[in-house]
Each structure stands twice: as C-alpha cells, then as structure tokens.
Amino acid sequence: MITFLFKCYTFSILYNVLCIKIKLNTNCSLLDDKNDDEELPSPPGSKKNKDIPHISEVPERDPVKGKSIAFTLLSKGLGPYQPEMDKYPKVNGRKFCTQWYKSYKWLEYSPEKDAVFCFFCRAFDLSGRAEESFTINGFNKWSKASTCLPKHERSVPHKEAMVKLAGFKHSSVEGSITTKIDKHHNMIVLKNISYLKDILETLLFCARQGIGIRGHNEQDHSLLNNRGNFIELLHLRAKDNDIIKQYFIDKERRFRYIHPEFQNIFLSLMAKNVQHSLISNIKEAGIYSILVDETQDISRHEQVSICVRYVTESFEPTEVFLGFFKTNSTNAESLVALIKEVLKNNDLNVQNIRGQCYDGAASMRGSYTGVQARIKNENPHAIYVHCYAHILNLCLVDLTKQVKQIRNMFGVLNTLHNFIGASSKRFSIFESMRATCSDSKGPKTLKSLSDTRWNCRIEAIKAVFENLSALFHSLHKIANDDTFAGPEASSLLKSIETFDFIFCLNLLKFVFNETNILSKYLQTQSINYSSVRLMAQQTINTFKDSRTQDKFNSLWIETQDIVEKYDLEEAKLPRERKIPMKIGGGRSQQNSINIKDYYLINIFYVVLDIIIVDIEERFKENNLTLLNSMNDVLTSDLPDVASYNLLSNTYDINNSELQSEVNIFNRMFKQSQNDVKETALNCRISYILSNNIQVGFPLYVQILKLFLTLPTNTSTCERSFSTLKRIKTYLRSTTGQDRLNNLAILYVHRNQEVNKDEVIKEFDATENGRRMILH
C-alpha cells in the first residue's frame, strides 16, 4: 500500500511537470468532481458505416482520429466518446455491449473501427508503457472483454493515467503550478515596484522642496540623532503605508535602496526623465536660443548656468534650465567648449541656435574673441543680445555714482544698514522705536545695497523712507546713551537730518519706482524685442514728461513737509569754493542763484538727464538692424523694402512670397481690428491663433517664431542662482556636481511630471536594479 501511494505521489509530480511544458489553457471549462459518478457527455449515436472511404469523414471524437486528440478533447471539458447505436457489428458471434459504458467510465467506442479504447490512457502520455490495444490499435475481442477490461483497469499504466487525471482536475479548480508561480511572481513584482515608487516619491519630495536629504548618521540605531529628511520621512510614511513598513521597517527584503549611492542613481534617473521631456520639446521647436551666466557657489566653485529659449506651436516663448556645470576657467575659450559639450550631450545642434544672451562681461560679449563672437563664427545666425536687465542695472549704477549728492545719500543708506544691523542691542532699539513711533506697514528692517542686485536700491530707499521717525528716535537714543557707538550715531543723525538727504531720498524714490516697473518687466520670459523697445521708450517718455517745474515743485513741497514735521535742517546753498592764495586767491565765482533753483538745476535736472541719456544710449547696443527689420515686417502696416531684403538674404526666404503674405495678413488683420494701423505684436499673435491661419502664412509664421525665439534677458539664469543658494548651503557645501545638477533640475522644473514607471524600468536595466525582481 505504501509503495502504491509513493507511486501515486510520483505520478502527480510528473503530471505537474507535464502541465508546465505544454502550457495548459486553464481558462477552459474542465471536468468537475461531482460528475465522477455520471456519464460524460457524448454526441448522438450513429450506426457504424464501413463504407466510409476517408478518415476525414469520421466524427471528430472518434478514437480512430488518433491518440493526440484525446488530451485536446479533455482540455475542452469533453470525456470518452460513447455513442449508442441501434446495432453493433458481430465478431465471431459476439458484439460490443453498451452496459460496459457504465461499468468502465474510461471506455470509449470507435464505430469506424468497431473497437474500444481507454480515453484517459490515450489522453496522458505514459511514455510507451500503456497497452497499445487500448491506446493505438483498439480492443475488439469481445469474448475476452470480461477479463481484459478489468485487467486493464487494474494495470499500473492505467492507474498512473487516473492519478494524472486527478491532478488535472485539481489544477483546473485551484490553478496549475505554472499559474500559481506566475501569480506569486506578479504579486512580488507589483509590491517591489510599489515600494520603489514610494522611495522615488519621497526622494522627489525632498528635491522639490529644496531641503536636505541626508543626515549626519543614518544608521537604524541612531534614534536620538537626526537621520536626515529622507530617512525620517520614510519612517513617518511607514505609519500609514504598509509596503514601506514591510520593506523599510520590517526589512522583508534584503535590499531597501536607501543608501546614498542609490539616492544618487534615482535622482539621476528622475532628472534625466525630466530633461528628456524638455529636450524633446526643444527639438520639436527646431530652433532655439541659449542663455548663459555664471556665479560662484558657497564652495567657491564657478558654476555656469545654461538655459534654452524656444517657442511652442502656440507662439508661447519658453525658457528651460539645463543645469549647472562647473568650470575651472571663465575665459571665452573654456566657456564655448563647455556650452558646445552641453548641447552635444543633450543632442542639440549648434547650427539651430538663433540667439544668444549674456551679461556684459568682456569674456562673453567680446567682439572678436568673446563667447558670442566664437559661436557666431560657427553659426552666423546666432544673434547676440546683451541682457536688457543688466543694461538697466548699469544705468542705475551710473546714476548713483555721477551726482555728488546722490552718491553721498547712498553712502549714508549703506552706513545706516551696517550700523543698525551690526549690533543686536542697536537693532533692538530700532525695533522698539519702530513699534512705538511708526505706523508704517512697510519693511521692518533696513536693506543693504549691492551693484549686482537689481531691486535692492528701491527697497533700501523705501525701508528708510517709511521708517524715518524710528531712525531719528533710535539714533538720538544711541547717541545719548551709548558711549561706544554714540559718536557714530550722532554723525549719522546729522547726515540724515539735512534737507539734501531728504530731497535726494524723495527724488530717487520717484526715479527708482519708474525704473523698477521696467526692471520687473524685463525679467519676464514672455517678452520680446518689440515689447522691450516699447516699454523702454515709454519709461524714457515718462522721465521726459516729468522734467518740468511742476514735478520739481511737488517734490520740493513733499520734502519741505517732511523737514517741518521732524524739525530738520532747512535747505541752504553749499559753501562757496575759494581759490587757494598761491594761485591767485579769491572766490571762484559770485553765486547769485537762489536755493530752489540750485536744487532744480544741479540735482533734479541732472538726475533725470543722466537716466534718460543712459537708457537711450545703452539700450542702443541691442538696436540691431536685423531685429529692427523683423519688428518692422511683423508689426508695421507698410514695412520698408530694406527690411524685406535683409530678412530674405539672411534666412534664405523668398522675398516676393514674404511680401505677399505680409500684405494679405495686414489687410485681414486691419479689417478685424476696425482699421487700426498700428497694434501690438501680441494682438497679431492672438489673431493668428484664434483664426487658425498658420498654414496660409508659412513665411510670416517662420519670421514670427524666429523673432520670439530671440532672448532679451538672462533672468532665468539669475533665478537658477537662487536655486543654487537654497540647494548648496553651508550645511551641504560638499555636494557633488552630478547630485547638485540633478537636484537643481528637479527643483527648478517642479511642475514637470516624472514618469516613475520609466525610471523604474531604466533602473531595472542597470546592474543594481537586478537585486530586486521588477519584471
């Protein structure tokens, strides 16, 4: 009995292996255990016809069709072929008896051959050990049926077939080993992928928030120490996330993928995923412009920020950040090599550059060996534009240095900021005075000055102007009570209690308010050359219109009101300069001018003249003929013929076709705008998009996209420097360059979706990804 059970167990194993090899179709309806005591279904019986000439005319279930058909029938849920006929052929006076169907469930009858077979021995391959009379040849010795049929039923091959039949029925209900293995494998893969997605989401959260990822000690036993935002966030998420709890806390898997090496891999793959999406958009646009600027990080490494500007199909200018790249030298040759290498690594062709925008550094703007000149030698269509925001800042720097009274006022502002902020005791006095003496809701602290920060001057002026009362009382108190800082406070108090200081403060507040509007406008990425020209001209016109006696009188009255309110020193003429006696002596000139005219002529008019002339002259640097021609063709009602000729020769455009398109487009546009002759470029863009007429004006659209692609500022690079200061702080000064670049891309492009499935797929293709089953 034990031997028989062992054989049955062995046969079960063999059967399961067989199922794996032939890949059973487990979705079919199979034999059910409850039908074991019932007859298996069979088609209506038919009489044996010995005149059938071809086997193809035999019923499909007839055993004479072959041995291999039995298992196919079994897989379809069919059993032995047991037809019932009115009359069976006789052999030596004996014939087949239908009663055998009930006695032997495995029996099937072949009308074609007038013989019986064992359906289950035929269905399961017994490697040649089955009786051929019941599997291949058929049994029809009816006189010996009473002994041969029971004998076959007791035979070992038949019992093996029945064991396999039992396993087959079990697998149809519970599923085969192959199915169970696949199901278990798929479950493990899904859990592994879910865990990796949680790791990626946690890492991405830290990157996009600009917070530190690693801690000083990240070991599990370091419970009292801060293990870093990444590890601590995983511990927090594990309270609500079962997958993280199983893999990270309970350590059900050997690899948790939290090591800094894996952090760098994941950050790199996610950054590449974002970058790939950005690059595909740039390639789709065809042409682009480059924006480059450099700065020094906290580790004193020179970081070059490279950005790209392109235009979408809806004429929307877009600027994207490609990354930070460390360089050991900022000369033109090194920077050009770096730019070309970055473009090559991102599969961007240098010949597709149409514009380049940098600051005013000699290595960038040099006419012969600068970066712009070297790139223009390779691609003549790469027009150089000096950043307008930097140009305006240079105008303001000049203004603060050319007029003596203005220069002195900014010196006092800077000294005030340093004096109050250098001591917590003095700053506390300022805060208390501000709380009691000032009703202003403006800045609560004084602002420092810098030649490179564009908005610092107006902020510094507003901070002092709105906290004058607190400053006066603070300096008075410090001068009277502080024996150490008293003399300096007394000197500063004397400087700010003059009419000169208040008048210059009031005048510069007006000037910088106007230029600050232009400065903010110049920092947007959606502006174009046409808008810049219009905005700059309107700012100049504002200053020209303000260069009047009425405007001066209003400033004078405002200053007088402040002087009377705080009982300050009245306006007076400066002391006359005397000529030394050794060169003749005496007065330099007889001063007959009154006080008000002196401030009007020597301060008010001079300041406005300097800012007007500076903006006009410096902005002419980008007044390129090619840009003006584009603007003329795109915005004018009747563009100049020279503009058409220049664009046609430069960009190889058919001149006559371009003129025809512009003429027809202007007629259509004028009609839609009620015959307005001159309108903004944005109105024309809106008209094209709303009427969907791009196809009808291909050359006009080409020029329009080219015009919008040309950059006007490097503000995107400047904003990336703010990202650099947040990511690479004094606590993270040793961050590697690749990690820094990946973090910066993920932080700057926070609105860009990361395809985590693609990231996991790429990670799985690496050697490290094979440690966990992911497919």
Side-chain angles (χ1 to χ4, degrees):
M1 183 65 182
I2 296 176
T3 304
F4 174 75
L5 292 175
F6 176 78
K7 287 183 178 181
C8 293
Y9 178 76
T10 305
F11 296 154
S12 177
I13 295 176
L14 292 174
Y15 165 72
N16 289 329
V17 173
L18 174 65
C19 292
I20 296 173
K21 290 183 177 179
I22 63 179
K23 297 182 179 178
L24 296 178
N25 184 6
T26 58
N27 293 325
C28 297
S29 174
L30 303 174
L31 291 175
D32 199 88
D33 291 340
K34 67 180 181 180
N35 295 328
D36 286 349
D37 298 331
E38 300 177 4
E39 285 191 34
L40 296 172
S42 61
S46 60
K47 295 183 179 180
K48 182 177 179 182
N49 188 356
K50 295 185 178 180
D51 298 329
I52 297 176
H54 300 292
I55 196 169
S56 60
E57 299 176 9
V58 179
E60 290 295 330
R61 294 184 60 190
D62 196 305
V64 79
K65 279 289 189 178
K67 181 181 177 181
S68 59
I69 196 174
F71 187 80
T72 304
L73 295 172
L74 181 64
S75 300
K76 293 180 179 180
L78 301 175
Y81 184 54
Q82 299 177 342
E84 294 185 2
M85 302 168 60
D86 295 337
K87 186 178 180 181
Y88 291 94
K90 290 185 177 182
V91 179
N92 297 327
R94 300 294 183 94
K95 64 179 181 180
F96 175 77
C97 179
T98 56
Q99 187 65 28
W100 293 336
Y101 286 153
K102 296 181 179 180
S103 301
Y104 308 103
K105 303 290 182 164
W106 46 266
L107 193 67
E108 60 179 350
Y109 176 75
S110 171
E112 175 65 23
K113 203 169 183 178
D114 185 31
V116 293
F117 296 81
C118 179
F119 177 72
F120 300 115
C121 288
R122 293 173 65 244
F124 298 105
D125 185 10
L126 300 176
S127 303
R129 292 183 289 108
E131 300 178 67
E132 293 186 358
S133 58
F134 285 93
T135 56
I136 299 175
N137 301 325
F139 176 83
N140 61 357
K141 296 179 181 180
W142 309 124
S143 60
K144 297 182 179 181
S146 59
T147 57
C148 291
L149 292 180
K151 181 180 179 181
H152 173 76
E153 193 173 45
R154 293 191 300 269
S155 66
V156 173
H158 180 79
K159 290 180 179 180
E160 290 182 11
M162 297 310 292
V163 170
K164 289 187 177 182
L165 175 64
F168 180 82
K169 289 181 178 181
H170 180 77
S171 66
S172 67
V173 177
E174 301 293 335
S176 65
I177 292 179
T178 305
T179 305
K180 290 183 178 180
I181 291 175
D182 288 342
K183 185 177 180 180
H184 182 67
H185 174 82
N186 293 335
M187 182 184 66
I188 292 176
V189 169
L190 290 176
K191 291 181 68 176
N192 290 345
I193 291 177
S194 178
Y195 173 69
L196 280 186
K197 284 185 177 180
D198 290 333
I199 292 291
L200 294 177
E201 289 172 356
T202 307
L203 201 57
L204 189 61
F205 174 83
C206 294
R208 285 180 169 171
Q209 292 301 114
I211 59 178
I213 296 177
R214 297 189 60 189
H216 179 68
N217 190 344
E218 299 179 355
Q219 300 298 323
D220 290 337
H221 61 266
S222 180
L223 300 178
L224 299 178
N225 297 326
N226 187 344
R227 290 168 291 184
N229 291 319
F230 177 62
I231 301 297
E232 295 293 341
L233 188 55
L234 283 175
H235 278 280
L236 178 63
R237 295 191 65 194
K239 297 179 180 179
D240 303 316
N241 191 310
D242 293 336
I243 296 294
I244 297 179
K245 184 177 184 301
Q246 293 174 18
Y247 283 57
F248 178 69
I249 303 297
D250 299 338
K251 300 180 183 178
E252 290 188 3
R253 296 293 184 271
R254 181 180 177 186
F255 298 102
R256 298 190 296 170
Y257 294 108
I258 60 173
H259 191 272
E261 179 183 348
F262 292 114
Q263 294 177 18
N264 291 335
I265 293 174
F266 291 141
L267 289 172
S268 175
L269 292 176
M270 288 191 291
K272 286 180 180 178
N273 185 267
V274 171
Q275 209 164 20
H276 177 74
S277 176
L278 300 175
I279 296 300
S280 62
N281 293 335
I282 298 173
K283 289 182 178 179
E284 185 178 350
I287 57 175
Y288 62 92
S289 297
I290 56 174
L291 319 172
V292 181
D293 204 351
E294 67 275 346
T295 189
Q296 191 180 80
D297 62 21
I298 197 167
S299 301
R300 294 181 175 81
H301 295 153
E302 198 69 29
Q303 299 287 351
V304 179
S305 173
I306 299 181
C307 302
V308 169
R309 178 186 174 96
Y310 67 94
V311 177
T312 63
E313 289 298 321
S314 58
F315 304 105
E316 181 180 356
T318 305
E319 294 178 1
V320 297
F321 169 72
L322 295 185
F324 291 119
F325 305 93
K326 189 173 72 172
T327 180
N328 296 323
S329 176
T330 57
N331 59 55
E333 184 178 0
S334 300
L335 292 175
V336 169
L338 177 62
I339 293 171
K340 291 169 64 176
E341 181 183 0
V342 172
L343 295 178
K344 181 180 179 181
N345 293 338
N346 288 283
D347 197 22
L348 297 176
N349 193 344
V350 178
Q351 298 302 320
N352 291 335
I353 299 176
R354 291 297 178 267
Q356 41 182 335
C357 188
Y358 317 122
D359 58 13
S363 60
M364 306 299 290
R365 61 179 291 188
S367 302
Y368 301 102
T369 59
V371 171
Q372 65 92 10
R374 291 172 184 266
I375 291 182
K376 206 166 185 178
N377 289 336
E378 295 191 27
N379 180 7
H381 297 310
I383 301 174
Y384 166 65
V385 179
H386 185 185
C387 173
Y388 278 102
H390 281 89
I391 291 177
L392 179 61
N393 187 61
L394 291 176
C395 297
L396 301 181
V397 170
D398 285 347
L399 175 63
T400 60
K401 293 180 180 179
Q402 290 190 31
V403 181
K404 179 184 69 174
Q405 291 85 348
I406 302 298
R407 184 174 62 247
N408 293 341
M409 184 209 70
F410 276 107
V412 173
L413 290 183
N414 197 39
T415 305
L416 269 175
H417 170 266
N418 296 336
F419 179 75
I420 298 295
S423 168
S424 58
K425 179 181 178 181
R426 294 194 290 269
F427 186 76
S428 177
I429 295 174
F430 172 75
E431 280 188 321
S432 61
M433 291 299 176
R434 187 181 185 280
T436 56
C437 303
S438 178
D439 296 331
S440 173
K441 297 181 180 179
K444 297 181 179 180
T445 60
L446 303 181
K447 307 297 181 181
S448 63
L449 296 171
S450 172
D451 287 345
T452 57
R453 291 205 308 275
W454 296 334
N455 295 331
C456 67
R457 298 173 191 83
I458 183 62
E459 296 299 328
I461 290 175
K462 286 181 178 179
V464 172
F465 199 87
E466 296 178 6
N467 291 287
L468 270 177
S469 178
L471 278 173
F472 290 144
H473 287 84
S474 299
L475 292 176
H476 270 295
K477 183 173 179 58
I478 295 171
N480 295 329
D481 300 342
D482 196 326
T483 56
F484 176 75
E488 189 174 357
S490 178
S491 177
L492 281 173
L493 185 61
K494 186 176 180 180
S495 298
I496 67 174
E497 285 182 337
T498 62
F499 187 89
D500 269 5
F501 179 83
I502 302 300
F503 179 80
C504 291
L505 197 69
N506 209 12
L507 173 60
L508 266 294
K509 179 185 176 183
F510 158 70
V511 172
F512 285 144
N513 272 332
E514 299 297 328
T515 57
N516 194 46
I517 297 173
L518 177 60
S519 178
K520 289 181 178 179
Y521 185 72
L522 293 177
Q523 295 175 42
T524 58
Q525 67 178 24
S526 59
I527 63 170
N528 52 67
Y529 178 73
S530 177
S531 302
V532 169
R533 286 186 57 188
L534 179 62
M535 191 71 178
Q537 188 59 48
Q538 293 303 322
T539 302
I540 292 172
N541 293 339
T542 299
F543 286 131
K544 287 182 177 180
D545 294 341
S546 301
R547 196 179 182 278
T548 61
Q549 185 75 38
D550 292 339
K551 181 62 179 176
F552 171 77
N553 289 336
S554 66
L555 291 175
W556 183 269
I557 293 173
E558 290 176 10
T559 305
Q560 288 281 20
D561 292 341
I562 295 174
V563 169
E564 291 177 3
K565 178 180 179 181
Y566 296 107
D567 193 21
L568 306 181
E569 180 183 335
E570 294 289 341
K572 61 181 180 180
L573 292 173
R575 189 181 63 177
E576 295 182 8
R577 181 184 176 189
K578 293 183 179 180
I579 301 175
M581 295 298 299
K582 61 181 180 181
I583 57 175
R587 297 178 181 272
S588 59
Q589 61 180 2
Q590 188 66 30
N591 193 353
S592 59
I593 192 172
N594 62 46
I595 298 176
K596 192 172 182 180
D597 289 340
Y598 173 81
Y599 279 90
L600 172 68
I601 297 172
N602 293 288
I603 299 179
F604 181 74
Y605 283 160
V606 172
V607 168
L608 293 183
D609 289 343
I610 289 175
I611 193 66
I612 291 172
V613 173
D614 259 11
I615 293 177
E616 285 180 340
E617 294 299 322
R618 289 184 179 275
F619 273 52
K620 285 182 180 179
E621 179 181 353
N622 291 331
N623 193 16
L624 304 177
T625 306
L626 185 60
L627 293 177
N628 292 329
S629 298
M630 288 186 190
N631 187 56
D632 184 32
V633 169
L634 293 173
T635 60
S636 298
D637 186 30
L638 292 174
D640 191 65
V641 176
S643 300
Y644 286 119
N645 295 334
L646 182 58
L647 292 180
S648 301
N649 296 331
T650 303
Y651 297 108
D652 194 20
I653 296 175
N654 189 293
N655 197 332
S656 59
E657 291 183 7
L658 178 60
Q659 291 190 41
S660 300
E661 286 187 13
V662 173
N663 290 333
I664 295 174
F665 177 79
N666 284 339
R667 289 177 180 272
M668 296 171 59
F669 180 70
K670 284 171 60 180
Q671 186 176 2
S672 67
Q673 299 293 320
N674 298 323
D675 295 331
V676 177
K677 293 184 178 180
E678 293 288 339
T679 51
L681 182 64
N682 292 335
C683 295
R684 295 173 179 263
I685 294 174
S686 300
Y687 175 72
I688 293 174
L689 293 175
S690 61
N691 293 277
N692 196 22
I693 57 175
Q694 296 93 316
V695 179
F697 302 93
L699 298 182
Y700 186 88
V701 169
Q702 180 182 345
I703 298 297
L704 179 58
K705 285 187 175 181
L706 180 62
F707 185 70
L708 296 176
T709 302
L710 297 177
T712 59
N713 61 78
T714 59
S715 297
T716 303
C717 296
E718 297 289 344
R719 293 188 187 98
S720 68
F721 296 154
S722 299
T723 299
L724 179 64
K725 291 180 180 179
R726 293 187 183 98
I727 295 175
K728 195 169 184 179
T729 64
Y730 75 98
L731 293 175
R732 291 180 278 169
S733 60
T734 58
T735 302
Q737 187 63 31
D738 291 338
R739 186 182 177 100
L740 170 66
N741 195 27
N742 296 329
L743 288 171
I745 290 174
L746 294 174
Y747 181 85
V748 172
H749 301 290
R750 292 188 295 274
N751 59 337
Q752 196 75 23
E753 188 67 27
V754 176
N755 192 325
K756 299 180 183 64
D757 292 324
E758 289 185 2
V759 171
I760 293 175
K761 185 177 179 181
E762 291 184 17
F763 176 69
D764 186 32
T766 64
E767 182 178 353
N768 292 316
R770 297 173 191 164
R771 298 176 178 178
M772 182 180 282
I773 303 174
L774 297 172
H775 68 279

